[in-house]
Amino acid sequence: MRIAKEIMAKKVVSVKADLPVEKLAGILWSHRINGAPVVDDDGQLIGVVTESDLVDQNKKFHIPTAISILDSVIFLDRAKTVEKEISKMTGATVGDICSREPVTIREDTPLDEIATIMSEKKVHTLPVLKNGTLVGVVGKADIIRTLARG
């Protein structure tokens, strides 16, 4: 069974949190990637930003559903969810729209576990860490390429 170290991209295209969102699309497109790790000035992983985060900026806003009972208004959507959605839609920098709790894997994570994580957590860009340091990225294209090569 192959492991992350064997299939990961070692030349990691990462971005900083202060990068304007308008520039992110160009970076993802020019490198033909669907996401990138977000790093601080010391190169430490602080999040992941993906094409989906960019797409979310252009979607219609869902007005929270509410019901009125005895002069009280009860919102059926959670306030934090609505706040997060508004924040992503109005974000100006990568730091505003990225996921701040990225799902990561180790170099020795087997392919079947990587696929399971991607499927269950609905993520397609997995930073690979070695002793807490970013050493690579596994994207869904890396898995498809590995499967195609047998």
Side-chain angles (χ1 to χ4, degrees):
M1 171 83 36
R2 294 179 114 355
I3 60 173
K5 184 177 183 177
E6 299 168 339
I7 67 170
M8 71 183 185
K10 294 175 179 82
K11 291 184 180 179
V12 179
V13 175
S14 60
V15 295
K16 300 274 180 85
D18 61 354
L19 179 76
V21 169
E22 300 83 37
K23 292 187 178 188
L24 175 64
I27 291 170
L28 296 180
W29 180 257
S30 66
H31 291 283
R32 304 287 192 265
I33 55 177
N34 64 5
V38 181
V39 297
D40 63 16
D41 290 333
D42 297 323
Q44 293 299 306
L45 182 69
I46 59 172
V48 171
V49 66
T50 67
E51 292 170 326
S52 296
D53 296 319
L54 286 173
V55 170
D56 284 350
Q57 281 213 303
N58 294 291
K59 70 180 183 179
K60 292 181 180 178
F61 178 66
H62 166 74
I63 298 173
T65 306
I67 57 173
S68 177
I69 300 175
L70 302 173
D71 293 333
S72 297
V73 176
I74 301 171
F75 288 98
L76 300 179
D77 294 327
R78 296 171 64 195
K80 287 216 180 263
T81 303
V82 173
E83 182 181 333
K84 184 177 177 182
E85 190 173 336
I86 291 171
S87 181
K88 272 196 165 194
M89 290 176 70
T90 60
T93 66
V94 166
D96 295 331
I97 68 170
C98 73
S99 170
R100 292 287 183 152
E101 296 177 8
V103 178
T104 62
I105 57 175
R106 298 179 321 278
E107 287 183 304
D108 62 348
T109 304
L111 180 60
D112 61 345
E113 188 176 331
I114 295 168
T116 300
I117 290 168
M118 285 184 172
S119 177
E120 290 179 355
K121 305 246 184 212
K122 297 181 179 16
V123 295
H124 304 292
T125 303
L126 291 171
V128 182
L129 302 180
K130 179 179 182 179
N131 300 323
T133 302
L134 181 65
V135 294
V137 172
V138 174
K140 63 183 175 180
D142 298 313
I143 291 179
I144 301 301
R145 183 181 63 245
T146 301
L147 295 173
R149 290 183 179 163

